[in-house]
Amino acid sequence: MRRWVLQTLRRETILVIASILAIISCFIVPPDAQYTSYSHTHTVAQLVCLMLVVTGLQRIGVFRIIGAKMLSHARTPRFLVLIFISLTFFSSMFITNDVALVTFVPFAIAVLIMAKMEDRTVFVVTLMTLGANLGSMLTPIGNAHNLYLKAKTGMPIADFMLIMLPYSFLAALLLIIATCIFFTDKPIPGFEGLDAATIERNILAPDAKTPAPDEIRITGYGAGYGGWRLYVYIALFIICILAVGGIMPMWGMIAICLVAFLFCDRRAFIHVDWGLPLTFIAFFIFIGNMKRVPEFYTLAANLVQIDPLDVAVGSSQLISNVPTTLLLANFSSAWKPLIIGTNLGGLGTLIASMASLVSFKAVTSRYPHLKGKYLAVYTATNLIFLAILLCEAHLIL
């Protein structure tokens, strides 16, 4: 029991904290009819449906196959790292930053070992994590908190993307510059003539001594694509985008996604990270209750009015950008600085974006002796990127 509690605290730290705060707030403001108005059901419903679709795509190996095909063109360390960064940068715009890192960081570590670049693992994974956090900020579906801000403001998707476009563009440029400076264009020995099938067999083939991954069980190893499920999931993803854009009704999206997964892959429901929507609900309860406490409301409203951009960035360093968004968005209508601040706030400390913990765990579980080095490299690199992008934000605003 004690071991389970400790594992839960490590795995779902933010959910545990949010739940404790929600419970405490219930004693301050006893449950009543107003509780039903706390939760932003559109955000939670869209988040769950998108997570289901992405889980389905993961489980048929779509992202693994895309990664293998892209890496088959890599011949130099510079190009190899650019591919790794591109995979997290662009995929995070559609499948969220944490899913991009869960999918591609272990893959990258395996390839770096194969390419005899294991000594560059810390820096490469740091750049991949930056890529995921910086790419995901462009779209409303790239980050869970962006989905909430999009739903709360009712802002068109195009307008939301235009706000973040200058920062994503500069971020991509900075990542390319960093890669070109720190990695050479000399050929990688042994990478000549590698194709996607060879990469899959040498790196991604399941160990015969362990149970086959779900994607192998569903489609068979070496299927090359997800079969008919791929087309179903693409259609479901489009439906989710239509719902986010307000074109498809929420109930229609929920019904179609639930029925589709009951037929396509019921086990996907088990593999969804339910901690994230539950965290949202817990924070909705806490914030809804605290807004009804006059002293707290006045303090929070005055604080966020000082400078929404810098307050959002600063708060994210301490409590991460998701709870920062849920808190500040209820006390300010300065949407543009809040959108920019909560997205840039994902840079900096390791907990500024909880997705960054995925990379930290992936590296340190394989190389426990690199914890200190990873924290130092990650923090220094993030602070440099944050300083540059924050200067850009102040110039634009």
Side-chain angles (χ1 to χ4, degrees), residues 29-39 288-289 292:
V29 180
D32 57 21
Q34 289 191 46
Y35 270 54
T36 58
S37 64
Y38 289 169
S39 293
N289 280 334
R292 295 167 64 182

Side-chain angles (χ1 to χ4, degrees), residues 50-99:
L50 279 166
M51 291 170 69
L52 262 176
V53 175
V54 171
T55 299
L57 289 168
Q58 276 185 304
R59 284 166 53 75
I60 60 174
V62 169
F63 308 122
R64 170 181 57 82
I65 294 163
I66 292 172
K69 289 187 181 298
M70 289 183 68
L71 286 170
S72 66
H73 300 288
R75 295 293 180 268
T76 67
R78 183 177 295 167
F79 194 27
L80 182 66
V81 174
L82 282 174
I83 288 174
F84 286 145
I85 295 171
S86 298
L87 284 170
T88 56
F89 185 86
F90 291 106
S91 67
S92 66
M93 297 178 185
F94 306 100
I95 63 174
T96 73
N97 50 357
D98 53 343
V99 174

Side-chain angles (χ1 to χ4, degrees), residues 19-41:
S19 300
I20 292 171
L21 290 173
I23 292 169
I24 293 173
S25 72
C26 289
F27 287 98
I28 299 172
V29 180
D32 57 21
Q34 289 191 46
Y35 270 54
T36 58
S37 64
Y38 289 169
S39 293
H40 206 284
T41 53

Side-chain angles (χ1 to χ4, degrees), residues 49-313:
C49 289
L50 279 166
M51 291 170 69
L52 262 176
V53 175
V54 171
T55 299
L57 289 168
Q58 276 185 304
R59 284 166 53 75
I60 60 174
V62 169
F63 308 122
R64 170 181 57 82
I65 294 163
I66 292 172
K69 289 187 181 298
M70 289 183 68
L71 286 170
S72 66
H73 300 288
R75 295 293 180 268
T76 67
R78 183 177 295 167
F79 194 27
L80 182 66
V81 174
L82 282 174
I83 288 174
F84 286 145
I85 295 171
S86 298
L87 284 170
T88 56
F89 185 86
F90 291 106
S91 67
S92 66
M93 297 178 185
F94 306 100
I95 63 174
T96 73
N97 50 357
D98 53 343
V99 174
L101 293 172
V102 165
T103 303
F104 293 116
V105 166
F107 182 34
I109 293 173
V111 175
L112 289 171
I113 293 170
M114 183 181 176
K116 295 180 174 57
M117 291 173 58
E118 203 170 359
D119 59 321
R120 310 303 300 275
T121 298
V122 168
F123 190 47
V124 172
V125 173
T126 293
L127 292 178
M128 290 179 69
T129 307
L130 275 167
N133 288 332
L134 292 167
S136 63
M137 67 184 183
L138 179 63
T139 66
I141 60 174
N143 280 314
H145 73 273
N146 278 351
L147 199 62
Y148 172 68
L149 288 168
K150 163 68 178 68
K152 190 166 182 67
T153 62
M155 187 181 297
I157 293 177
D159 291 353
F160 188 100
M161 293 178 66
L162 282 173
I163 291 174
M164 295 309 303
L165 183 60
Y167 309 99
S168 290
F169 178 80
L170 179 57
L173 187 62
L174 292 172
L175 288 168
I176 293 171
I177 292 171
T179 305
C180 291
I181 291 173
F182 292 101
F183 296 92
T184 69
D185 58 354
K186 296 179 180 179
I188 302 173
F191 260 55
E192 299 84 358
L194 285 182
D195 56 18
T198 304
I199 291 173
E200 278 202 77
R201 284 194 298 271
N202 291 346
I203 301 173
L204 303 169
D207 187 343
K209 298 179 182 179
T210 60
D214 284 326
E215 63 188 55
I216 307 300
R217 181 185 63 80
I218 292 173
T219 62
Y221 181 67
Y225 69 104
W228 59 270
R229 289 179 179 84
L230 173 62
Y231 303 106
V232 174
Y233 296 158
I234 290 173
L236 292 176
F237 185 78
I238 293 171
I239 287 171
C240 289
I241 298 298
L242 293 174
V244 172
I247 300 171
M248 164 80 67
M250 182 181 67
W251 63 266
M253 173 192 67
I254 296 172
I256 293 171
C257 286
L258 290 179
V259 171
F261 274 95
L262 286 174
F263 282 97
C264 293
D265 183 12
R266 296 179 185 179
R267 286 165 62 96
F269 291 99
I270 301 172
H271 291 271
V272 168
D273 179 15
W274 293 105
L276 185 56
L278 289 174
T279 299
F280 267 68
I281 293 170
F283 270 117
F284 285 144
I285 294 171
F286 169 70
I287 294 166
N289 280 334
M290 297 311 291
K291 281 181 69 176
R292 295 167 64 182
V293 178
E295 295 80 6
F296 181 87
Y297 183 92
T298 302
L299 176 64
N302 290 338
L303 178 65
V304 75
Q305 292 304 324
I306 296 171
D307 186 341
L309 174 64
D310 290 332
V311 169
V313 171

Side-chain angles (χ1 to χ4, degrees), residues 376-395:
V377 172
Y378 177 88
T379 305
T381 309
N382 267 259
L383 289 175
I384 291 170
F385 273 70
L386 176 59
I388 294 171
L389 293 171
L390 193 55
C391 286
E392 181 190 18
H394 279 289
L395 288 173

